[in-house]
Amino acid sequence: MTRTKAAAWAGGASYLLVVGLLVGAAPRASGTVHGIGALLAVSLLAGVVRRMPLLALAMALFGSTAVVVGPPSSGHENLAASYQGQFLSYLAVDLVLSFIVATCVRRASAVAVAVSFAVQLLVIGGFAHGDGLAVNGVIALLALAASCMAGLLSRERREHAVALRAQEAAEAVTAERLRIARELHDMVAHSIGIIAIQAGVGSRVIQTQPAQARDALRAIEATSREVLSGLRRTLVSLRQAGRSATTSKQSPLAPSPGLADVEQLAAATAGAGVRVDVHCTGEQRPVPADIDLSAYRIVQEALTNVVRHAGTGRCRVAIDYGDEELSVEIVDDGRGATDNGSAHGFGIIGMRERAGLLGGHLSAGPRPEGGFRVATRLPLPAPIAVPVETR
């Protein structure tokens, strides 16, 4: 990031140097030569345009105006070349203006367009005469309008792409909810029906046929264990598709992982080249199984994104056991500007959905100082007071 900033400033300084050479070292060159030089020199402002577009526009206006008004006039025989030089010089400004209209907020874009048009009209008015004033003014206005139109089209395409991504994300969330609903319905509906029937049979015959009642209770126990095992397998298998080799494959019958397994997950991630520092604060205690599993999966997904997209060798996982909520934070110092790969998949959407289903909140995005941060807060249920019997 520091190198990019230094390169941008170096490009800006080089642009001013080139403008100075055009004005001072080649004062008797034709206006067309000066205009072409100014148009080519604006490419040096590419880094400044990306970081500080308004500053780049001010530098381009200054440079183009200096190129137009700086060289001494060489007479009416070069009037056409002078007009060409004005057009080419301010065409460089229009290119920068097009980028501003496409990327900056509308108020800043409007101010930039107004200032640019006013400067161009003032310079053209001072250096054109008679019919040339009207022609050059119309040409400048058309060029500025064309650049603004190109910027607006680019902005609309980008906003349309953002809307499509938002719609795609919403559809992914809906599809995931439907998938979870289907999984749970197929798994639970039949088993709960059997349990209800067996419980009804047992309640009717418990007094008259104890053996049949015991059989009903055994069937309830077996079915309950089966459905609990199935629910556990479903929770473990959710979001397993497409996982990288950094996370070990678990047996379908293995117990659900939780925060106690984060150290093991960190060791597996270290094998993939990313060292994970795990810090736990607060009173470490068992939390509900769904919260424990969701917190683990959020850490797992975040670490997977770090390995895939961050381009760093280290990250930090902080787990805080609060009185009312469980806080989990995953921070790295990698390529935060890439949004940690969220544009290429639904990992962050899935993490946010997990937190939302538990009544929690998840935030994910680049950090101002560099890198990426994923933080979630999952509310914990209030502890149940156990009455103490007194004798």
Side-chain angles (χ1 to χ4, degrees):
M1 187 173 294
T2 303
R3 291 181 180 178
T4 305
K5 186 176 181 179
W9 285 115
S14 300
Y15 173 78
L16 296 177
L17 177 62
V18 171
V19 169
L21 291 175
L22 287 174
V23 175
R28 299 192 178 276
S30 67
T32 303
V33 172
H34 285 107
I36 294 175
L39 184 59
L40 295 177
V42 79
S43 62
L44 298 172
L45 294 177
V48 184
V49 168
R50 286 194 295 268
R51 298 181 65 87
M52 293 167 289
L54 296 180
L55 176 60
L57 178 64
M59 294 177 68
L61 277 172
F62 171 80
S64 297
T65 302
V67 168
V68 171
V69 306
S73 176
S74 56
H76 292 285
E77 63 275 11
N78 291 327
L79 194 58
S82 176
Y83 291 164
Q84 291 176 1
Q86 291 178 13
F87 171 75
L88 293 174
S89 297
Y90 284 115
L91 183 59
V93 175
D94 293 337
L95 293 176
V96 178
L97 189 63
S98 177
F99 182 87
I100 291 176
V101 173
T103 57
C104 294
V105 296
R106 298 187 184 277
R107 179 176 297 179
S109 300
V111 172
V113 170
V115 171
S116 178
F117 184 62
V119 171
Q120 293 187 42
L121 281 186
L122 288 175
V123 174
I124 292 173
F127 283 80
H129 305 281
D131 296 336
L133 175 61
V135 172
N136 280 16
V138 171
I139 292 175
L141 178 60
L142 291 177
L144 187 142
S147 66
C148 292
M149 184 63 66
L152 287 175
L153 290 176
S154 177
R155 176 192 290 272
E156 289 180 0
R157 283 197 300 268
R158 188 177 65 255
E159 291 175 350
H160 181 64
V162 171
L164 287 180
R165 285 196 296 269
Q167 182 180 359
E168 187 180 11
E171 291 174 355
V173 171
T174 302
E176 183 65 18
R177 287 177 173 174
L178 291 176
R179 178 192 170 195
I180 294 173
R182 287 193 299 267
E183 293 270 357
L184 295 179
H185 178 271
D186 295 342
M187 183 179 304
V188 174
H190 179 68
S191 300
I192 295 299
I194 293 176
I195 291 173
I197 293 173
Q198 294 291 347
V201 172
S203 65
R204 292 190 188 95
V205 301
I206 191 169
Q207 297 295 337
T208 59
Q209 302 179 39
Q212 188 175 354
R214 282 195 299 272
D215 292 339
L217 291 175
R218 291 193 185 98
I220 291 173
E221 179 184 8
T223 305
S224 300
R225 292 183 182 277
E226 181 180 354
V227 70
L228 287 174
S229 178
L231 286 172
R232 182 177 294 114
R233 287 195 300 270
T234 300
L235 292 174
V236 171
S237 64
L238 285 175
R239 305 289 186 181
Q240 285 290 330
R243 291 294 187 267
S244 65
T246 57
T247 56
S248 60
K249 293 183 179 179
Q250 298 179 343
S251 169
L253 298 178
S256 298
L259 292 175
D261 302 303
V262 169
E263 291 286 351
Q264 182 180 355
L265 180 63
T269 307
V274 178
R275 177 184 172 185
V276 182
D277 298 324
V278 181
H279 301 278
C280 296
T281 57
E283 180 185 358
Q284 299 186 35
R285 60 191 186 277
V287 298
D290 53 349
I291 297 177
D292 200 25
L293 175 65
S294 294
Y296 175 87
R297 290 303 185 198
I298 290 172
V299 174
Q300 184 184 49
E301 179 63 33
L303 293 182
T304 300
N305 286 340
V306 171
V307 173
R308 286 182 174 178
H309 309 292
T312 183
R314 185 170 182 177
C315 70
R316 178 174 59 89
V317 176
I319 304 172
D320 178 42
Y321 292 82
D323 295 332
E324 299 180 353
E325 64 182 15
L326 175 70
S327 300
V328 179
E329 183 184 61
I330 304 93
V331 177
D332 68 79
D333 57 353
R335 297 188 295 264
T338 63
D339 201 21
N340 224 11
S342 63
H344 305 288
F346 299 110
I348 292 179
I349 297 174
M351 290 189 286
R352 191 171 284 118
E353 182 69 4
R354 282 187 180 276
L357 289 174
L358 296 174
H361 172 73
L362 184 138
S363 60
R367 300 191 299 161
E369 62 270 27
F372 200 85
R373 175 178 178 267
V374 176
T376 184
R377 294 177 297 172
L378 304 176
L380 296 174
I384 300 175
V386 179
V388 180
E389 295 182 3
T390 57
R391 299 182 182 273

